[in-house]
Amino acid sequence: MDFNDIQSAWKNEKTENVILPSHLDKINSANMPLEKIKKNLRNEFFYQILSIILIGFVPFFYSFPANAIPPFYLLFSIFVAVCIYYLVKLYVFYRRLGKTTLSTKDSLYETYFDIRLNMELYKTFGFALIPFVILFLIGFMYYVTPDFFTKGLNSTPFLVTTFSIVTFSILFMGVALEWWVHYFYGKYAKEIRKVLDELKEE
């Protein structure tokens, strides 16, 4: 881009849309972390769908009693509906990233905040699964130690155990989600943020 090209662009467009070569190099450097995020999202879809399918066969893997199968699949259907809702939103985000062209500072800002927004969406997805984790753990306990539940739902051991399961599930999911989102998405979002900060300083 020579001086005449820059002068022409200055007259026809807003100043912030004029990209100098040095800016282009920095903006293009954000493509690598963006590709990493897209790759992780692709893997995420595959493993999430595979996990949902495998969970659906749990009653057959562990030979659930006949009276336990209907309630299991009732909860499983709700679980699948929640997963589909969030996975569709994340898939739309993935498709949007695929069409993203990082050619201006504005497009980089827009992509960065889109990534941050969907990172929070992913965390919401994880927290939406906590009730299913709790019910799974309680059901697993009932399957392994059915005598424990004969003491009554109001017994101290049952209440303490239920409280422990709920507390553990929330804390575990909270910590796990923070680590997962940071490791697979957050650190790449920080790289994009670093590019934006460098552009801001110029």
Side-chain angles (χ1 to χ4, degrees):
M1 180 182 290
D2 58 21
F3 178 76
N4 291 330
D5 291 333
I6 295 176
Q7 190 175 38
S8 177
W10 188 285
K11 292 179 180 178
N12 296 322
E13 298 180 3
K14 294 181 179 179
T15 304
E16 60 267 24
N17 290 330
V18 178
I19 305 298
L20 298 178
S22 60
H23 287 177
L24 277 174
D25 290 340
K26 289 182 179 179
I27 290 174
N28 287 333
S29 69
N31 279 307
M32 184 175 294
L34 186 62
E35 288 300 320
K36 291 282 189 181
I37 290 174
K38 288 193 287 187
K39 179 183 177 182
N40 288 338
L41 275 173
R42 283 196 302 270
N43 293 336
E44 189 87 33
F45 291 132
F46 173 76
Y47 291 121
Q48 290 278 5
I49 293 171
L50 181 62
S51 298
I52 292 170
I53 293 172
L54 290 176
I55 290 172
F57 286 98
V58 164
F60 301 100
F61 294 153
Y62 292 95
S63 302
F64 277 25
N67 61 347
I69 292 178
F72 173 86
Y73 280 109
L74 174 62
L75 289 173
F76 180 70
S77 63
I78 300 172
F79 168 77
V80 171
V82 171
C83 289
I84 289 174
Y85 175 79
Y86 283 101
L87 288 176
V88 167
K89 283 184 172 292
L90 290 172
Y91 179 72
V92 171
F93 167 61
Y94 171 77
R95 291 292 300 272
R96 195 160 58 243
L97 284 183
K99 297 177 182 177
T100 298
T101 303
L102 300 181
S103 56
T104 65
K105 189 191 298 186
D106 289 340
S107 65
L108 189 57
Y109 265 111
E110 184 179 346
T111 301
Y112 171 74
F113 286 113
D114 198 14
I115 291 170
R116 296 294 304 182
L117 179 64
N118 280 274
M119 284 168 58
E120 295 305 315
L121 176 67
Y122 189 97
K123 292 178 185 178
T124 304
F125 174 34
F127 279 110
L129 299 181
I130 288 179
F132 300 101
V133 174
I134 293 171
L135 291 172
F136 170 78
L137 291 175
I138 292 175
F140 181 76
M141 280 193 60
Y142 181 78
Y143 180 76
V144 174
T145 57
D147 294 339
F148 179 78
F149 289 82
T150 60
K151 298 177 182 179
L153 300 181
N154 293 323
S155 64
T156 301
F158 179 82
L159 293 175
V160 170
T161 302
T162 303
F163 175 79
S164 301
I165 289 175
V166 171
T167 304
F168 168 78
S169 299
I170 294 174
L171 292 176
F172 174 79
M173 287 295 287
V175 173
L177 281 169
E178 287 293 336
W179 177 85
W180 188 275
V181 171
H182 171 74
Y183 184 81
F184 289 100
Y185 306 104
K187 63 182 180 182
Y188 302 116
K190 283 185 177 180
E191 291 181 26
I192 297 175
R193 180 73 220 190
K194 183 179 178 182
V195 173
L196 287 170
D197 290 339
E198 290 175 356
L199 290 171
K200 189 185 298 183
E201 292 173 359
E202 296 186 357

